[in-house]
Amino acid sequence: MKIGVFVCHCGSNIAGTVDVAKVAEAAKAMPDVAFASDTMYACSEPGQEGIIKAIQEKGLDGAVVASCTPRMHGPTFMRTVARAGLNPYMFEMANIREHVSWIGRNKEANTRKAIDLVKMAVAKLGQNRPLYPKTFAVNKRVLVIGGGVAGIQAALDCAEGGLDVVLVEKTSSIGGKMAKLDKTFPTVDCSSCILGPKMVDVAQHPRITLHASSEVEDVFGYVGNFQVEVRKKAPYVDWKACTGCGACMEKCPAKKSPDPFNELVGRTTAINIPFPQAIPKKASIDPTACIRFKTGKCGVCAKICPTKAIRYDQQDEMVTEEVGAIVAATGYDLMDWTVYGQYGAGRYPDVVTSLQYERMLSASGPTGGHIKRPSDGREPKNVVFIQCVGSRDPSVGRPYCTGFCCMYTAKQAVLTKDHIPDSQSYVFYMDIRAPGKMYDEFTRRAVEEYGTQYVRGRVSMVYPMGDKLVVRGADTLAGTQVEVLADLVVLAVGAEGAKGSPHLAEKLRISYDSYGFFMEGHPKLKPVETNTAGVYLAGCSQGPKDIPTSVAQGSAAAAKVLGLFSKDQLQSDPQVAKVDLKRCVGCMKCALTCPFGAIKELETRGEMKVEVIETVCQGCGICTSTCRQGAIQLQNFTDNQILAEVNALLLTAEEEGA
Amino acid sequence: MEKELRIVGFLCNWCSYGGADTAGVGRFIQPTDLRIIRMPCSGRLDPLFVLKTLTGGADGVLVSGCHPRDCHYAEGNYYARRRLEVLKRFLPVIGIDPGRFEYTWVSASEGQRWQHVVTEFTAQVHALGPIQRIGKQAQARACSFATSGLFARVED
Ligand SMILES: Cc1cc2nc3c(=O)[nH]c(=O)nc-3n(C[C@H](O)[C@H](O)[C@H](O)COP(=O)(O)OP(=O)(O)OC[C@H]3O[C@@H](n4cnc5c(N)ncnc54)[C@H](O)[C@@H]3O)c2cc1C
Ligand code: SF4
Ligand code: SF4
């Protein structure tokens, strides 16, 4: 075999702490290496041309590129090798940047390590075989999980692009957090006026199937061919019959039921439509609040309903949806602010969250748009906003900036003045982060036009005094302690991944971080992709972001799906398991361990053996390390390939020791 | 600088290899002894690889995969965990200090954690010093002992 080795400088990224010329020189002495050189930027056009030229002129059978991580440029160089006429799997990478030059300062040690890594890659390549992908058909339907503004946008864009869309929303209506907002920064336009029409579009679009009050229970399959089990939770109302007239709500005697749409400010009825613009506009019963469910008596709604839609004995329903791609848009939840005992959250009724305040500002909210203190219903005069409650605070495990709290606090201060002209707002802040279009201008207006007083510093505690609250903190600009007497305190609570998102991530086989946000494929270059083919991200499920950015990402995810579906056939990754029938004894251990059910029985010449379904195999190799016969081998990660790497390394050790 | 030892790392492609990349991008300085072999999944790791590596002369072996429940292949790391736990207990049987072998879980976002894991493990192996070389015959014996059904039983 004739192998070529190409060692990249990556400018000074590698060459700064690795003697790349020496690595190339050492490579020339390795077995099977017919050519070795160092190159400034292997991934650049001249770099790739150089590789192609060497392969063709020297008649090479394979190439090793020693540069960055294969997770970054592996596919790039595989295409390069293919352009030179080789099979793309006759290629290996040695990661001498992320794993060498960037983590060690000792040039000598780094160079030795880089040589080892090249030696291992060469040894592995010596065992590589050409691999060929299979093609399979794509099911051009898409599942969107989460009906917030990001999911709505993704669903509409996909549907407009000609795809059939299934939208699964956990609550009884789409709209997400945006539906709860009164106005939106920086334009202060009415939230439901811009979201409402989009929600109606979802309801009316012939290509969108909406499953509200539903959750994804299980996901099987792979890109192009997912099978999704959806649990439609029983609303105890036949939604086909319900017209959303609301007569049941008027008559329901259980009028003090918790109201999640209004963030538990105010109460609702046990049977309810969460808000007037809800989509679908259908009633559902909260069985934990319903008198009929609790005592067997009542049944008023069933009597009153003009279409006889009430079904107390309704059961959850399971539906299976077959799709080719999935967009996860499950958004965020506010973090548990009651960990801030010093702010009295949960103890003092007049300390509320930003989202509760948003409902109090809303004309369709529980107070009809009048700001009233929860304790006594009086109109507050002094309103104190505390920012960064659960953001930028490592002490509660939330070191990151939520990004939109500065802006919504400014908005809420402005709206407070609009509602109560003789009020005074105070904002305790750490920094003001307002980098969006017209954002900084907006926070300035809050100060200059609306007279909001900004105090830079953290609040140390909030405590009651008479019927008011004392907010005590530091003014770090003036270098003094400050105390403000407040009628109402609003906590700008930070965001974390939606509840249950890690659970969903496991079903989708995507990664999530310790805050419950899903991980994108690459922090810069793959912002809407995940590491699982065919699964994309939109909106705050990936990390906190404002509405414009959530919408943009929703559209981006839709564009990715449309791009994926622009082909009728997809190519499967040929790095799948393969059975050596001579060795297989048909014990089926591999089939038992395969998480994807990719291994099936095969009868040959009267003997039981196994066979791998190539499009189902995901290439994990669990079967390979299970099979005691060594009969089933994951291609491109065979025992021989991995042990070749180990041996190459240990041989060096032996040489050194001698 | 202290003389380098031979440490081999078997890392899954999705979480830990990504975590090691993240550590690199973040310029989290680490000891240089470790050489990483990339695998699709920690479940791909045959415990025999670890034995062959240690009996073949490596001073330490580190395996790292996705956190339990966070596996790209749903459950590969559970298989890995069961096999590797058995392996760890088996090492003293063939006279290898179990401190030369560790398995951990590092996600792609945990660059700093990876730096910590590498630094700690390298120090641990250095504290044990270079491994005693064993002859080819003893090597073969150790490996065949290990294949005699020990790991086959922990699959189900
Ligand atoms: C008080 C406050 C005020 C704000 N004001 C503004 C503003 O003025 N301007 C602005 O630009 N931004 C504002 N924001 C930010 C804004 O709320 C977000 O940018 C936006 O809601 C993100 O939309 P999303 O679709 O990503 O997430 P969400 O709105 O959270 O929607 C997610 C949806 O997914 C559903 N879901 C969750 N998990 C599942 C699951 N497992 N299965 C099915 N469905 C699921 C949820 O029920 C929800 O409907 C504000 C935020 C707060 C807290
Ligand atoms: S574990 Fe090996 S021998 Fe047993 S059925 Fe699978 S491939 Fe055949
Ligand atoms: S590599 Fe083996 S265990 Fe993994 S998916 Fe393929 S057949 Fe199943």
Side-chain angles (χ1 to χ4, degrees):
Chain A
M1 190 169 190
K2 286 166 82 177
I3 293 175
V5 175
F6 305 87
V7 187
C8 182
H9 294 224
C10 196
S12 63
N13 277 311
I14 295 171
T17 55
V18 172
D19 186 341
V20 282
K22 197 166 164 188
V23 177
E25 205 47 47
K28 284 183 187 150
M30 295 175 194
D32 294 334
V33 173
F35 175 83
S37 74
D38 53 290
T39 157
M40 196 55 165
Y41 289 105
C43 59
S44 68
E45 199 178 333
Q48 294 192 39
E49 289 307 320
I51 295 172
I52 293 174
K53 196 162 151 242
I55 291 174
Q56 288 170 343
E57 282 179 4
K58 315 275 174 204
L60 302 176
D61 307 305
V64 167
V65 176
S67 58
C68 48
T69 169
R71 284 164 50 102
M72 174 123 169
H73 279 325
T76 315
F77 291 122
M78 284 170 85
R79 281 194 296 273
T80 313
V81 169
R83 278 200 288 146
L86 293 182
N87 182 281
Y89 291 89
M90 298 309 287
F91 163 76
E92 286 298 325
M93 248 174 126
N95 184 348
I96 63 168
R97 193 178 73 180
E98 280 81 346
H99 293 183
V100 180
S101 71
W102 277 349
I103 57 162
R105 296 207 180 92
N106 182 319
K107 196 161 185 171
E108 231 174 274
N110 280 355
T111 306
R112 262 203 315 274
K113 184 172 172 184
I115 293 172
D116 277 357
L117 293 186
V118 169
K119 188 174 276 183
M120 289 155 75
V122 167
K124 183 178 178 202
L125 181 57
Q127 303 288 326
N128 283 21
R129 298 286 170 271
L131 301 178
Y132 302 93
K134 285 245 155 56
T135 53
F136 59 90
V138 200
N139 178 345
K140 294 187 182 178
R141 298 177 82 221
V142 55
L143 169 75
V144 178
I145 310 174
V149 67
I152 289 174
Q153 185 68 32
L156 287 174
D157 284 354
C158 285
E160 282 303 300
L163 303 178
D164 285 328
V165 181
V166 181
L167 178 58
V168 170
E169 164 58 45
K170 180 166 69 174
T171 66
S172 65
S173 168
I174 58 170
K177 306 293 179 303
M178 189 174 168
K180 299 186 180 195
L181 305 180
D182 176 35
K183 307 267 164 33
T184 57
F185 61 74
T187 43
V188 206
D189 50 351
C190 152
S191 186
S192 55
C193 311
I194 50 178
L195 182 66
K198 273 187 182 288
M199 291 167 59
V200 175
D201 286 349
V202 168
Q204 293 181 345
H205 207 292
R207 287 193 177 276
I208 300 181
T209 309
L210 172 61
H211 296 307
S213 279
S214 298
E215 267 180 271
V216 169
E217 191 113 326
D218 230 328
V219 180
F220 306 99
Y222 49 93
V223 58
N225 295 282
F226 290 108
Q227 254 182 46
V228 185
E229 304 290 330
V230 178
R231 174 182 294 274
K232 300 186 75 164
K233 286 169 282 182
Y236 307 105
V237 175
D238 178 355
W239 277 6
K240 287 201 190 74
C242 174
T243 57
C245 69
C248 53
M249 269 181 94
E250 275 164 35
K251 292 285 174 327
C252 174
K255 293 203 187 302
K256 293 214 160 131
S257 315
D259 185 356
F261 182 78
N262 280 321
E263 294 287 309
L264 309 181
V265 192
R267 300 267 144 170
T268 184
T269 40
I271 184 164
N272 68 71
I273 301 165
F275 56 107
Q277 302 91 333
I279 297 286
K281 195 170 181 189
K282 306 283 173 187
S284 38
I285 296 178
D286 173 358
T288 62
C290 170
I291 302 170
R292 166 83 186 208
F293 273 87
K294 287 198 293 197
T295 67
K297 302 198 181 75
C298 193
V300 169
C301 50
K303 281 191 213 104
I304 214 79
C305 175
T307 63
K308 302 278 165 263
I310 311 298
R311 302 279 180 278
Y312 298 116
D313 58 354
Q314 202 177 37
Q315 300 293 318
D316 289 3
E317 192 192 328
M318 294 301 295
V319 283
T320 305
E321 295 285 0
E322 302 201 331
V323 297
I326 299 174
V327 177
T330 49
Y332 67 97
D333 277 320
L334 296 184
M335 69 93 69
D336 175 18
W337 62 91
T338 55
V339 300
Y340 286 93
Q342 67 270 36
Y343 296 162
R347 271 185 295 143
Y348 310 139
D350 294 335
V351 177
V352 300
T353 71
S354 49
L355 214 46
Q356 288 176 327
Y357 196 56
E358 203 76 47
R359 292 312 300 145
M360 290 164 68
L361 290 168
S362 168
S364 63
T367 55
H370 300 293
I371 307 175
K372 291 180 184 165
R373 298 183 358 138
S375 62
D376 53 14
R378 279 206 344 246
E379 194 173 71
K381 289 287 171 275
N382 278 3
V383 181
V384 174
F385 296 88
I386 305 177
Q387 286 192 192
C388 296
V389 178
S391 298
R392 306 178 67 199
D393 189 354
S395 75
V396 296
R398 293 289 174 269
Y400 55 89
C401 172
T402 297
F404 48 62
C405 316
C406 286
M407 289 304 297
Y408 73 58
T409 301
K411 171 187 76 176
Q412 293 181 341
V414 163
L415 292 174
T416 305
K417 193 82 180 171
D418 279 345
H419 283 247
I420 313 169
D422 62 341
S423 66
Q424 174 64 50
S425 293
Y426 300 85
V427 177
F428 282 86
Y429 72 106
M430 304 226 291
D431 295 311
I432 292 301
R433 302 194 162 177
K437 209 170 178 175
M438 298 300 288
Y439 281 20
D440 203 58
E441 295 90 322
F442 182 75
T443 55
R444 259 171 230 270
R445 278 182 61 202
V447 177
E448 290 161 10
E449 269 178 53
Y450 292 84
T452 310
Q453 280 216 29
Y454 272 76
V455 186
R456 187 180 198 272
R458 260 205 195 281
V459 168
S460 58
M461 69 185 301
V462 176
Y463 60 91
M465 185 190 275
D467 66 348
K468 291 185 187 292
L469 293 157
V470 181
V471 182
R472 180 190 289 170
D475 183 335
T476 52
L477 290 180
T480 56
Q481 284 289 316
V482 281
E483 275 186 4
V484 182
L485 215 51
D487 299 303
L488 186 68
V489 174
V490 182
L491 304 180
V493 181
E496 61 188 22
K499 272 174 205 69
S501 50
H503 222 64
L504 181 64
E506 285 150 23
K507 288 171 192 156
L508 295 171
R509 280 178 259 110
I510 61 178
S511 303
Y512 55 95
D513 65 20
S514 48
Y515 316 118
F517 294 117
F518 300 145
M519 274 193 60
E520 63 285 353
H522 186 280
K524 294 174 205 81
L525 302 178
K526 288 186 176 174
V528 298
E529 291 100 322
T530 66
N531 276 330
T532 296
V535 180
Y536 303 93
L537 305 178
C540 292
S541 66
Q542 181 259 352
K545 46 182 75 72
D546 55 18
I547 293 164
T549 318
S550 301
V551 171
Q553 209 189 5
S555 289
K560 285 285 165 191
V561 174
L562 286 162
L564 177 78
F565 288 174
S566 65
K567 304 177 197 79
D568 295 323
Q569 299 267 309
L570 288 181
Q571 287 201 330
S572 66
D573 188 339
Q575 299 181 71
V576 293
K578 192 177 169 188
V579 185
D580 177 353
L581 290 179
K582 286 196 294 298
R583 285 189 168 204
C584 174
V585 298
C587 67
M588 297 301 284
K589 280 215 137 63
C590 54
L592 282 175
T593 51
C594 174
F596 305 98
I599 303 175
K600 63 172 190 213
E601 279 180 280
L602 168 82
E603 211 189 301
T604 42
R605 300 196 195 136
E607 277 184 282
M608 284 322 285
K609 305 269 177 182
V610 296
E611 160 180 59
V612 176
I613 313 163
E614 281 186 37
T615 46
V616 180
C617 173
Q618 298 294 298
C620 63
I622 297 173
C623 56
T624 307
S625 43
T626 300
C627 178
R628 285 297 125 220
Q629 318 299 322
I632 186 164
Q633 288 285 328
L634 178 65
Q635 307 200 70
N636 218 29
F637 290 97
T638 63
D639 289 350
N640 286 345
Q641 283 171 303
I642 293 166
L643 289 174
E645 287 185 79
V646 173
N647 289 338
L649 187 59
L650 297 181
L651 273 177
T652 341
E654 235 164 60
E655 284 158 18
E656 274 173 15
Chain B
M1 196 184 72
E2 201 181 351
K3 191 182 176 324
E4 256 178 23
L5 292 178
R6 268 295 167 254
I7 303 178
V8 181
F10 294 100
L11 270 57
C12 83
N13 177 52
W14 302 103
C15 293
S16 291
Y17 197 92
D21 283 349
T22 306
V25 174
R27 312 296 201 273
F28 293 132
I29 298 300
Q30 299 152 42
T32 51
D33 312 46
L34 177 80
R35 274 97 174 110
I36 292 170
I37 294 177
R38 186 169 68 107
M39 311 232 156
C41 174
S42 54
R44 166 67 188 95
L45 188 85
D46 190 327
L48 263 183
F49 296 166
V50 178
L51 280 177
K52 287 203 163 134
T53 309
L54 286 171
T55 58
D59 305 301
V61 172
L62 178 63
V63 177
S64 192
C66 308
H67 288 281
R69 305 194 64 175
D70 190 16
C71 175
H72 183 75
Y73 302 103
E75 50 195 51
N77 49 6
Y78 289 123
Y79 287 107
R81 186 166 65 182
R82 270 174 278 174
R83 292 166 183 167
L84 296 173
E85 192 50 45
V86 174
L87 172 72
K88 188 146 177 84
R89 294 182 202 184
F90 171 72
L91 287 178
V93 178
I94 53 166
I96 293 175
D97 193 311
R100 296 192 182 277
F101 163 68
E102 290 297 345
Y103 62 93
T104 63
W105 319 114
V106 174
S107 82
S109 61
E110 296 175 324
Q112 206 144 20
R113 180 175 150 83
W114 176 248
Q115 175 193 38
H116 189 75
V117 164
V118 174
T119 311
E120 292 249 297
F121 184 65
T122 308
Q124 181 175 320
V125 174
H126 274 266
L128 294 170
I131 199 166
Q132 201 82 36
R133 292 291 159 90
I134 62 171
K136 286 262 181 297
Q137 270 190 332
Q139 235 182 79
R141 226 178 309 126
C143 289
S144 75
F145 185 24
T147 40
S148 62
L150 180 73
F151 297 110
R153 277 201 300 276
V154 289
E155 325 297 356
D156 7 75

